[in-house]
Amino acid sequence: MSGVWRMLAVWAVSAVTMLVLAGALPDFRLQSVDGDSATRIAVTAAVGAGVFGLLSSLVWPLLVRALLLVPALVLGLLVFFLNGSLLLVALWVNPVGHGEAAPETAVVVAAAMSAVASATGGALAVRDDDAYRRRLYRLADRRRRRADGGPGPVGPGIVFLQLDGVGHESLRQAVADGLMPTVARWLGDVVDGRPTHRPTHRLTPWRTDWSSQTGASQLGILHGSNHDVPAFRWYEKESREVMVCNRPSSAAELQRRAIERTGDGGLLTVDGASRGNLFSGGADQLALVLSIAARRGRRNRSRAGYFAYFSDPANAVRTAMSFVADVLREIGQSTRARIGKQRPRVKRGGLYPFIRAFATVVERDVVVAAVIGDMLAGRSAVYADLVAYDEVAHHSGPGSRDAAQVLERLDRSLALIAQVAEHAPRAYRIVLLSDHGQSPGETFLGRYGLSLGNLVRAGCGLPVPRKAQRTHSGAEARAAVRAALRLRVEEGAEQHRPSRRSEPIVLASGNLGLVSFPDVPHRMSKEEIDARHPALLSTLANHPGIGFVLVRSAEHGGLVLGAHGAEIPVDELSDEQPGPLADFGPGAADAVRRTHTFPHVADIMVNSWFDPADGEVLAFEEQIGSHGGLGGAQGRPFLLSPLALSEPVGDGTELVGAEHVHRVLRRWLRESDGPQVPLTAREEDRRAA
């Protein structure tokens, strides 16, 4: 069906929708009070639908661009009002006859017409595959020529889609349970132990660093270095600041340090796009990237992703309705968990339902639309982060029904992207990966009645508050919401001025705790800590909720402390002689040893208890699904890659660390004739050796 006929069909369906709603809603009329003929009413509806469609096409993008000055979530709430206002204007300027509608009725009618028009246009376009394909090719080719004046793209591109927080075993279980049919098809559906068709992808687990969280993993994946990122948040003594990975100013600084260390702009430096990430990866095309969210001016394109998506009123209406539905869904799920006295459980009231809906609806829709636009424009490399599962699993648990439903919806997004790839101006290879997993378990506070901070205070001989204090949450979506609301993404205790009797700063990153003494300018040694607080280290090491403690020793260098007086230098730890790290699996000793070398590692690093039998940890934050330290599924994410690309690692070799993943992805880009990311001199020397 040609574009003209498709437009006429959408117009006709919109007019019929208007007629139906005029008959069903008492406050919506298409004729005057004294009555009109049926023919005149029909003509009024047809002209009204046409005027409304014209206003939506011409005026709506201008309104959305102007409203980019308004916080994104406020824009979502204004969607219905703006659409209803356009309908009232369309009825008023209708040259055939003036309709009438109450303001609240206009909102309902406009939303219904936009949704029906969008569905009709999409259905007709998809039914005519050849015309749709030709249209997409022409559109993409025009974009490319406008952008660089050269010919269209050559060779396959790669789309890297990060499912934030989905562990290797969680993905396998979701596929086995039928929750993710798209991923199942890529792996080759298995029925009665036999694949139903040939697989197109391979699934590879990889192991994170000690800091198993998005900041460390994504910085390493996109920029090739996560050196000196000991946790999700940590205290830096020389600047007297707390660095937080999902704070825009901290993310910008971490990105600057990584680029300075590697001499490389990032994985996406040539013809790349970064969508919904903490870091840019060196991409020129950016949307919802936190490391540039603190900037102002023309070069800050982080909010432009909202305009590109909400410029279509049908998108705006659909996302706003889904947002409201997810808020109600969360309220119902949390109420059911509370009534059923589910354990473990954390508080899910306040603003959390809206934060969750932002992650599971708004950010997902905007990021997926941006990726589709990148594919139609033929960009060589796209990296996008979908944070929905991670946010829900923190509060509902990684194996919960709530989190499973999120995986189902994410799989539908993957299917849509795969369908669009068939119409893109170049072939695309879709790589699916995660940055970490999540480990279940109740909170440290819930099990023992006091937080890690209060345990440290007790060990120091300081008074412990009677009232428990809530800890910060490390969920990435929270900072994204605050950035969208144009609020400062900062946390309490951002700066700490040393005093004569300064108290320790205790920070939490999932089940990893960090203790720093701000009045001592260097990293304190065990000997210094014992002299100052004789009971502190033994209190921590022997607590049943703590797995091990890392400190610096003037005599032994790094020292790992465990229960019953265990003290083992980090240089003597290995997989064969793990000492207090025995329950944490292979690679734990290497991960701890590497972190010990970081300039900004805390005076005391505390990893919670881990039960290898059921995979549970104890989070120092208020989360029943957590990540950030060692123990269980949190440290075992996945990499799902097309068979057309070389294997990530050879037989008998493990994929360890985010920096290793970066090297694999960079190799795949070279294989695909994508961006030729330059090797640093250090990397070339290492390979030559």
Side-chain angles (χ1 to χ4, degrees):
M1 181 180 289
S2 69
V4 174
W5 285 108
R6 191 156 49 246
M7 290 175 59
L8 291 175
V10 171
W11 171 48
V13 171
S14 298
V16 171
T17 302
M18 183 177 282
L19 282 172
V20 172
L21 292 173
L25 300 174
D27 293 331
F28 180 42
R29 292 196 303 271
L30 291 177
Q31 74 269 21
S32 60
V33 178
D34 56 356
D36 286 315
S37 67
T39 302
R40 186 174 179 84
I41 294 174
V43 172
T44 301
V47 175
V51 173
F52 176 68
L54 186 63
L55 288 174
S56 297
S57 300
L58 300 179
V59 179
W60 183 269
L62 300 178
L63 287 174
V64 173
R65 184 176 292 277
L67 286 171
L68 283 179
L69 300 175
V70 175
L73 289 181
V74 177
L75 173 61
L77 297 176
L78 289 175
V79 162
F80 293 107
F81 170 76
L82 293 173
N83 223 19
S85 299
L86 288 180
L87 178 65
L88 290 176
V89 172
L91 294 175
W92 182 69
V93 301
N94 191 336
V96 177
H98 293 299
E100 295 180 6
E104 62 274 15
T105 304
V107 169
V108 175
V109 174
M113 291 181 63
S114 295
V116 170
S118 176
T120 303
L124 292 175
V126 171
R127 284 177 64 85
D128 190 356
D129 286 340
D130 291 337
Y132 187 48
R133 186 187 300 270
R134 288 195 299 270
R135 174 176 170 271
L136 294 181
Y137 269 66
R138 288 196 301 269
L139 176 62
D141 193 54
R142 283 201 303 270
R143 288 179 179 176
R144 297 287 304 187
R145 291 179 182 276
R146 244 191 341 260
D148 54 24
V154 177
I158 300 184
V159 175
F160 303 104
L161 298 174
Q162 177 180 301
L163 298 186
D164 205 300
V166 181
H168 176 259
E169 290 306 315
S170 295
L171 184 79
R172 287 172 57 91
Q173 189 63 50
V175 169
D177 292 342
L179 300 176
M180 306 187 77
T182 303
V183 176
R185 280 197 304 274
W186 290 345
L187 291 172
D189 290 306
V190 177
V191 177
D192 296 329
R194 296 182 179 180
T196 58
H197 61 275
R198 176 178 293 183
T200 60
H201 288 64
R202 66 173 68 86
L203 180 62
T204 306
W206 66 279
R207 198 166 66 226
T208 67
D209 305 286
W210 187 1
S211 182
S212 55
Q213 46 87 20
T214 303
S217 292
Q218 198 178 86
L219 186 65
I221 292 171
L222 287 177
H223 289 280
S225 172
N226 58 8
H227 176 77
D228 202 21
V229 182
F232 186 81
R233 51 174 69 84
W234 67 95
Y235 178 69
E236 298 194 346
K237 294 187 174 184
E238 68 273 17
S239 64
R240 294 181 289 185
E241 289 188 359
V242 174
M243 296 288 286
V244 186
C245 287
N246 69 350
R247 178 192 296 163
S249 58
S250 297
E253 174 61 17
L254 293 177
Q255 182 173 305
R256 185 197 65 78
R257 293 178 186 179
I259 293 173
E260 182 179 17
R261 181 174 177 84
T262 63
D264 179 358
L267 187 74
L268 310 172
T269 49
V270 180
D271 195 27
S274 180
R275 311 299 189 186
N277 300 312
L278 294 181
F279 309 103
S280 73
D284 182 59
Q285 298 295 324
L286 305 167
L288 314 187
V289 175
L290 204 66
S291 63
I292 69 165
R295 301 179 192 171
R296 292 292 179 264
R298 295 181 62 185
R299 287 192 58 80
N300 181 6
R301 292 183 293 275
S302 180
R303 293 169 60 81
Y306 291 112
F307 169 74
Y309 182 77
F310 286 114
S311 59
D312 183 345
N315 287 344
V317 170
R318 182 171 58 250
T319 296
M321 294 177 68
S322 297
F323 181 91
V324 173
D326 203 73
V327 169
L328 297 176
R329 181 182 296 113
E330 162 56 26
I331 293 173
Q333 291 171 344
S334 61
T335 301
R336 184 168 57 248
R338 187 170 60 253
I339 293 175
K341 297 182 179 181
Q342 176 182 310
R343 291 290 184 272
R345 188 178 77 248
V346 294
K347 293 182 179 179
R348 291 160 59 177
L351 292 176
Y352 171 68
F354 300 94
I355 294 171
R356 164 182 157 155
F358 179 89
T360 58
V361 176
V362 179
E363 189 167 31
R364 178 203 64 198
D365 289 353
V366 171
V367 168
V368 169
V371 170
I372 290 173
D374 293 328
M375 296 169 70
L376 297 182
R379 296 194 175 96
S380 298
V382 183
Y383 195 103
D385 187 11
L386 298 169
V387 302
Y389 174 87
D390 188 67
E391 178 63 34
V392 174
H394 275 310
H395 295 81
S396 299
S400 65
R401 179 184 175 187
D402 302 359
Q405 291 175 349
V406 173
L407 288 177
E408 285 186 287
R409 291 191 289 272
L410 286 176
D411 188 82
R412 290 197 287 269
S413 296
L414 300 179
L416 176 61
I417 291 172
Q419 290 170 2
V420 171
E422 299 176 1
H423 301 285
R426 70 191 304 170
Y428 273 100
R429 294 165 176 171
I430 298 176
V431 174
L432 197 64
L433 74 160
S434 60
D435 48 347
H436 54 79
Q438 284 208 20
S439 296
E442 63 181 313
T443 67
F444 187 87
L445 175 63
R447 175 167 292 190
Y448 298 107
L450 81 168
S451 66
L452 176 64
N454 286 338
L455 179 64
V456 170
R457 292 180 64 85
C460 292
L462 297 171
V464 177
R466 292 183 178 181
K467 186 178 180 180
Q469 298 177 346
R470 294 188 65 186
T471 59
H472 292 296
S473 172
E476 291 83 348
R478 296 176 180 272
V481 171
R482 295 184 66 85
L485 288 170
R486 306 190 75 179
L487 299 174
R488 285 167 56 87
V489 188
E490 309 293 343
E491 302 195 17
E494 180 194 3
Q495 291 190 336
H496 299 266
R497 303 295 180 185
S499 61
R500 182 174 300 178
R501 295 184 61 82
S502 178
E503 297 182 356
I505 298 170
V506 182
L507 301 172
S509 296
N511 74 318
L512 177 63
L514 297 89
V515 183
S516 299
F517 296 91
D519 58 333
V520 179
H522 59 269
R523 183 184 178 190
M524 293 184 72
S525 67
K526 177 181 183 298
E527 294 78 5
E528 290 175 310
I529 296 171
D530 284 340
R532 185 173 185 174
H533 302 294
L536 176 58
L537 291 178
S538 61
T539 297
L540 294 175
N542 288 288
H543 192 281
I546 291 177
F548 66 91
V549 173
L550 170 68
V551 293
R552 182 180 72 87
S553 169
E555 180 181 357
H556 302 289
L559 199 63
V560 170
L561 312 179
H564 312 298
E567 296 184 2
I568 301 180
V570 293
D571 291 337
E572 297 179 11
L573 291 171
S574 66
D575 289 343
E576 290 73 28
Q577 296 181 337
L581 306 182
D583 289 339
F584 294 89
D590 291 337
V592 170
R593 191 161 30 245
R594 176 176 183 260
T595 302
H596 171 66
T597 66
F598 290 171
H600 290 111
V601 67
D603 294 326
I604 306 173
M605 300 285 288
V606 182
N607 203 99
S608 87
W609 163 89
F610 166 61
D611 185 355
D614 56 18
E616 290 190 356
V617 301
L618 298 175
F620 297 126
E621 300 181 86
E622 287 302 289
Q623 300 170 345
I624 60 174
S626 67
H627 57 89
L630 288 174
Q634 62 182 317
R636 195 172 175 81
F638 72 88
L639 179 61
L640 185 69
S641 57
L643 298 177
L645 298 171
S646 61
E647 293 195 25
V649 290
D651 293 338
T653 305
E654 269 197 297
L655 187 55
V656 179
E659 294 179 2
H660 193 178
V661 175
H662 170 85
R663 294 193 294 272
V664 171
L665 302 192
R666 183 164 62 177
R667 185 218 311 158
W668 287 344
L669 288 174
R670 289 195 297 270
E671 291 175 2
S672 301
D673 294 325
Q676 301 298 305
V677 182
L679 294 175
T680 64
R682 186 182 298 105
E683 182 74 15
E684 290 176 339
D685 292 343
R686 186 184 302 118
R687 290 198 173 188

